[in-house]
PDB file of all heavy atoms in Angstrom:
ATOM      1  N   MET A 986      49.483  38.440   3.024  1.00 86.00           N
ATOM      2  CA  MET A 986      50.410  39.393   3.632  1.00 86.00           C
ATOM      3  C   MET A 986      50.522  40.636   2.753  1.00 86.00           C
ATOM      4  O   MET A 986      50.345  40.560   1.540  1.00 86.00           O
ATOM      5  CB  MET A 986      51.775  38.740   3.814  1.00 86.00           C
ATOM      6  CG  MET A 986      51.709  37.515   4.711  1.00 86.00           C
ATOM      7  SD  MET A 986      53.258  36.654   4.808  1.00 86.00           S
ATOM      8  CE  MET A 986      54.101  37.656   6.002  1.00 86.00           C
ATOM      9  N   PHE A 987      50.833  41.731   3.398  1.00 86.00           N
ATOM     10  CA  PHE A 987      50.971  43.004   2.700  1.00 86.00           C
ATOM     11  C   PHE A 987      52.133  43.751   3.331  1.00 86.00           C
ATOM     12  O   PHE A 987      52.255  43.790   4.552  1.00 86.00           O
ATOM     13  CB  PHE A 987      49.670  43.802   2.844  1.00 86.00           C
ATOM     14  CG  PHE A 987      49.460  44.820   1.774  1.00 86.00           C
ATOM     15  CD1 PHE A 987      48.709  44.508   0.649  1.00 86.00           C
ATOM     16  CD2 PHE A 987      49.998  46.086   1.881  1.00 86.00           C
ATOM     17  CE1 PHE A 987      48.494  45.446  -0.346  1.00 86.00           C
ATOM     18  CE2 PHE A 987      49.796  47.027   0.900  1.00 86.00           C
ATOM     19  CZ  PHE A 987      49.042  46.711  -0.228  1.00 86.00           C
ATOM     20  N   SER A 988      52.960  44.346   2.537  1.00 91.00           N
ATOM     21  CA  SER A 988      54.103  45.108   3.037  1.00 91.00           C
ATOM     22  C   SER A 988      53.629  46.299   3.870  1.00 91.00           C
ATOM     23  O   SER A 988      52.804  47.099   3.415  1.00 91.00           O
ATOM     24  CB  SER A 988      54.943  45.604   1.859  1.00 91.00           C
ATOM     25  OG  SER A 988      55.795  46.656   2.262  1.00 91.00           O
ATOM     26  N   LYS A 989      54.146  46.417   5.077  1.00 93.00           N
ATOM     27  CA  LYS A 989      53.769  47.540   5.944  1.00 93.00           C
ATOM     28  C   LYS A 989      54.210  48.870   5.324  1.00 93.00           C
ATOM     29  O   LYS A 989      53.494  49.869   5.392  1.00 93.00           O
ATOM     30  CB  LYS A 989      54.401  47.359   7.325  1.00 93.00           C
ATOM     31  CG  LYS A 989      53.965  48.378   8.339  1.00 93.00           C
ATOM     32  CD  LYS A 989      54.523  48.090   9.708  1.00 93.00           C
ATOM     33  CE  LYS A 989      54.053  49.105  10.712  1.00 93.00           C
ATOM     34  NZ  LYS A 989      54.570  48.834  12.053  1.00 93.00           N
ATOM     35  N   ARG A 990      55.363  48.865   4.698  1.00 94.00           N
ATOM     36  CA  ARG A 990      55.881  50.074   4.063  1.00 94.00           C
ATOM     37  C   ARG A 990      54.954  50.511   2.919  1.00 94.00           C
ATOM     38  O   ARG A 990      54.611  51.686   2.798  1.00 94.00           O
ATOM     39  CB  ARG A 990      57.296  49.827   3.543  1.00 94.00           C
ATOM     40  CG  ARG A 990      57.959  51.080   2.989  1.00 94.00           C
ATOM     41  CD  ARG A 990      59.352  50.820   2.483  1.00 94.00           C
ATOM     42  NE  ARG A 990      60.112  50.077   3.488  1.00 94.00           N
ATOM     43  CZ  ARG A 990      61.284  49.496   3.249  1.00 94.00           C
ATOM     44  NH1 ARG A 990      61.827  49.555   2.075  1.00 94.00           N
ATOM     45  NH2 ARG A 990      61.916  48.842   4.213  1.00 94.00           N
ATOM     46  N   THR A 991      54.556  49.562   2.090  1.00 95.00           N
ATOM     47  CA  THR A 991      53.652  49.879   0.978  1.00 95.00           C
ATOM     48  C   THR A 991      52.280  50.277   1.508  1.00 95.00           C
ATOM     49  O   THR A 991      51.646  51.203   1.003  1.00 95.00           O
ATOM     50  CB  THR A 991      53.527  48.674   0.022  1.00 95.00           C
ATOM     51  OG1 THR A 991      54.836  48.346  -0.457  1.00 95.00           O
ATOM     52  CG2 THR A 991      52.624  48.981  -1.142  1.00 95.00           C
ATOM     53  N   TRP A 992      51.819  49.571   2.541  1.00 95.00           N
ATOM     54  CA  TRP A 992      50.520  49.872   3.148  1.00 95.00           C
ATOM     55  C   TRP A 992      50.455  51.337   3.587  1.00 95.00           C
ATOM     56  O   TRP A 992      49.446  52.013   3.378  1.00 95.00           O
ATOM     57  CB  TRP A 992      50.280  48.933   4.331  1.00 95.00           C
ATOM     58  CG  TRP A 992      48.948  49.112   4.985  1.00 95.00           C
ATOM     59  CD1 TRP A 992      48.668  49.800   6.132  1.00 95.00           C
ATOM     60  CD2 TRP A 992      47.693  48.593   4.531  1.00 95.00           C
ATOM     61  NE1 TRP A 992      47.328  49.742   6.423  1.00 95.00           N
ATOM     62  CE2 TRP A 992      46.704  49.000   5.450  1.00 95.00           C
ATOM     63  CE3 TRP A 992      47.311  47.827   3.443  1.00 95.00           C
ATOM     64  CZ2 TRP A 992      45.365  48.670   5.306  1.00 95.00           C
ATOM     65  CZ3 TRP A 992      45.981  47.489   3.303  1.00 95.00           C
ATOM     66  CH2 TRP A 992      45.024  47.908   4.230  1.00 95.00           C
ATOM     67  N   ALA A 993      51.531  51.802   4.167  1.00 96.00           N
ATOM     68  CA  ALA A 993      51.571  53.174   4.680  1.00 96.00           C
ATOM     69  C   ALA A 993      51.474  54.208   3.556  1.00 96.00           C
ATOM     70  O   ALA A 993      51.077  55.351   3.796  1.00 96.00           O
ATOM     71  CB  ALA A 993      52.847  53.393   5.488  1.00 96.00           C
ATOM     72  N   THR A 994      51.812  53.817   2.339  1.00 97.00           N
ATOM     73  CA  THR A 994      51.744  54.767   1.218  1.00 97.00           C
ATOM     74  C   THR A 994      50.350  54.837   0.600  1.00 97.00           C
ATOM     75  O   THR A 994      50.082  55.735  -0.197  1.00 97.00           O
ATOM     76  CB  THR A 994      52.738  54.385   0.101  1.00 97.00           C
ATOM     77  OG1 THR A 994      52.344  53.149  -0.493  1.00 97.00           O
ATOM     78  CG2 THR A 994      54.161  54.293   0.648  1.00 97.00           C
ATOM     79  N   LEU A 995      49.465  53.928   0.960  1.00 96.00           N
ATOM     80  CA  LEU A 995      48.117  53.899   0.387  1.00 96.00           C
ATOM     81  C   LEU A 995      47.204  54.901   1.091  1.00 96.00           C
ATOM     82  O   LEU A 995      47.326  55.139   2.291  1.00 96.00           O
ATOM     83  CB  LEU A 995      47.508  52.504   0.517  1.00 96.00           C
ATOM     84  CG  LEU A 995      48.209  51.365  -0.201  1.00 96.00           C
ATOM     85  CD1 LEU A 995      47.492  50.047   0.094  1.00 96.00           C
ATOM     86  CD2 LEU A 995      48.281  51.612  -1.693  1.00 96.00           C
ATOM     87  N   SER A 996      46.274  55.398   0.349  1.00 97.00           N
ATOM     88  CA  SER A 996      45.265  56.273   0.944  1.00 97.00           C
ATOM     89  C   SER A 996      44.333  55.421   1.803  1.00 97.00           C
ATOM     90  O   SER A 996      44.279  54.190   1.649  1.00 97.00           O
ATOM     91  CB  SER A 996      44.454  56.971  -0.150  1.00 97.00           C
ATOM     92  OG  SER A 996      43.665  56.010  -0.851  1.00 97.00           O
ATOM     93  N   ALA A 997      43.595  56.045   2.676  1.00 97.00           N
ATOM     94  CA  ALA A 997      42.637  55.313   3.520  1.00 97.00           C
ATOM     95  C   ALA A 997      41.618  54.579   2.655  1.00 97.00           C
ATOM     96  O   ALA A 997      41.222  53.445   2.955  1.00 97.00           O
ATOM     97  CB  ALA A 997      41.941  56.273   4.479  1.00 97.00           C
TER      98      ALA A 997
END
Side-chain angles (χ1 to χ4, degrees):
M986 300 175 81
F987 203 94
S988 162
K989 186 175 181 179
R990 186 180 311 168
T991 302
W992 183 260
T994 66
L995 298 178
S996 67

